[in-house]
Amino acid sequence: MKKFAFKLTFAAVALSALAAPSFAQVVKIDGSSTVFPPTEGVAEDFQKLKKGAMKVTVGISGTGGGFKKFCRNETDISNASRPILKAEMEACKAAGVEYYELPVGFDALTVVVNPKNTFLSQLSVAELKTMWEPAAQGKITSWKQVNPAFPDAPIKLYGAGSDSGTFDYFTEAINGKAKASRGDYAATEDDHVTVKGVAGDVNALGYLGYAYYAENQKTLKALPIVEKAGKAAVLPSEQNVINGTYQPLARPIFIYVNTKAMERPEVKEFVAFYMKEGSRIMKEVKYVPLPASAYKNNEEHLAKGKKGTVFGGIAEVGVTIEELQRREAKL
């Protein structure tokens, strides 16, 4: 995989889709910007292997936007930074779309500030809630209102848009309810916008997938998070995701595959390649790969036709790698 290939803009991705040669067999993917980096990496290596005989297009419309297309039979695979929700399950069912749920890695959702920010060395979940909950809209506008020890400086917030699985997960983890958030912030489905905004404002704060922080460490600073009073602040990292201490912002990421699409050789081969190379590419883009047994379990689900989700339409917070494996084994 070409290093940092995931830095393509949405426009570039869209153009690549339009430029797909008519003679190639095409695999259509859309969805989460968080899952875009590894999926784009897999797609690039797969297309090189196939020497142009198969084309993979990867869009970024957010987890929710991706599921809308997926449940309308417009895509073969949906990238998702959270499990499929009940309303999306119903939409797929109404359209006759069945699917395989394949966890492909873990992300450490990362809270970032400008490196020149000198007053923030960590934040607690409680402090994050103070600035992000719906009641904060139009009222919590200064850092001093979050913590009296902070300066009386304006807060500028950047985060995921409402079609993003990152938005759903962050609001559930921090505010206690998915989609419950103040609305007066710079919202986007493209994490590059958050990177640019926080990098350009010393008083800004944002949240995004770890891969986007990892590739922009010169212009962003990650904050350690205190889950609750009495606990230590924990930085996002592979080790802290694996050992379960980075909570509540560690989360599994997925691809969902249309079962009928899997009957086409190009889709079947691409998914098989993803399961084989996913662990390597997860590491390349700074996400946490699953144990080898998890990818093997995915392959067994595909071979046995085990469709559906183990989450029951709920985007849960705090699921560990170990718990994810236990659930998937019972599907």
Side-chain angles (χ1 to χ4, degrees), residues 308-331:
T309 173
V310 299
F311 288 88
I314 300 171
E316 296 178 42
V317 169
V319 177
T320 64
I321 292 175
E322 184 179 0
E323 170 62 18
L324 178 69
Q325 283 195 280
R326 279 201 301 268
R327 290 192 189 187
E328 291 290 344
K330 293 178 181 178
L331 183 65

Side-chain angles (χ1 to χ4, degrees), residues 12-51:
V13 175
L15 285 174
S16 72
L18 292 173
S22 58
F23 58 84
Q25 294 173 295
V26 180
V27 180
K28 295 180 181 179
I29 307 173
D30 207 321
S32 168
S33 62
T34 299
V35 191
F36 175 82
T39 298
E40 174 68 7
V42 173
E44 185 177 88
D45 285 4
F46 179 73
Q47 288 172 108
K48 285 180 181 177
L49 179 68
K50 294 299 176 181
K51 299 179 180 179

Side-chain angles (χ1 to χ4, degrees), residues 34 105-110 208-211 241 249-253 287-288:
T34 299
F106 256 72
D107 174 35
L109 207 164
T110 305
L208 36 64
Y210 186 84
V241 169
L249 296 178
R251 56 179 178 159
I253 56 177
Y287 285 164
V288 180

Side-chain angles (χ1 to χ4, degrees), residues 140-302:
I140 304 300
T141 57
S142 167
W143 280 106
K144 197 172 187 66
Q145 292 173 284
V146 177
N147 187 321
F150 297 161
D152 188 13
I155 294 175
K156 178 65 175 178
L157 296 174
Y158 292 84
S162 60
D163 261 347
S164 169
T166 296
F167 173 78
D168 293 341
Y169 192 90
F170 183 84
T171 50
E172 179 80 43
I174 300 303
N175 297 331
K177 184 179 179 181
K179 298 189 183 296
S181 173
R182 69 188 297 167
D184 55 343
Y185 70 98
T188 179
E189 261 70 50
D190 185 351
D191 288 315
H192 294 106
V193 175
T194 296
V195 170
K196 185 176 180 180
V198 175
D201 189 336
V202 70
N203 290 312
L205 174 143
Y207 62 89
L208 36 64
Y210 186 84
Y212 292 89
Y213 158 70
E215 289 311 311
N216 294 279
Q217 292 186 53
K218 291 182 179 179
T219 58
L220 299 176
K221 178 172 76 172
L223 292 179
I225 302 300
V226 179
E227 183 182 6
K228 58 181 67 175
K231 286 201 170 186
V234 181
L235 270 169
S237 70
E238 178 177 352
Q239 180 182 353
N240 291 338
V241 169
I242 291 172
N243 66 27
T245 61
Y246 187 67
Q247 291 293 347
L249 296 178
R251 56 179 178 159
I253 56 177
F254 308 84
I255 61 171
Y256 284 78
V257 185
N258 183 304
T259 58
K260 289 183 180 178
M262 272 293 287
E263 296 173 6
R264 302 192 341 251
E266 64 271 23
V267 177
K268 186 174 183 179
E269 289 183 39
F270 174 77
V271 173
F273 186 80
Y274 206 134
M275 294 306 104
K276 179 182 177 183
E277 302 295 334
S279 178
R280 170 181 63 84
I281 291 177
M282 285 292 160
K283 285 190 174 183
E284 287 184 13
V285 299
K286 310 302 183 185
Y287 285 164
V288 180
L290 297 174
S293 58
Y295 298 104
K296 185 69 176 177
N297 196 51
N298 284 341
E299 292 173 343
E300 290 175 0
H301 285 182
L302 293 168

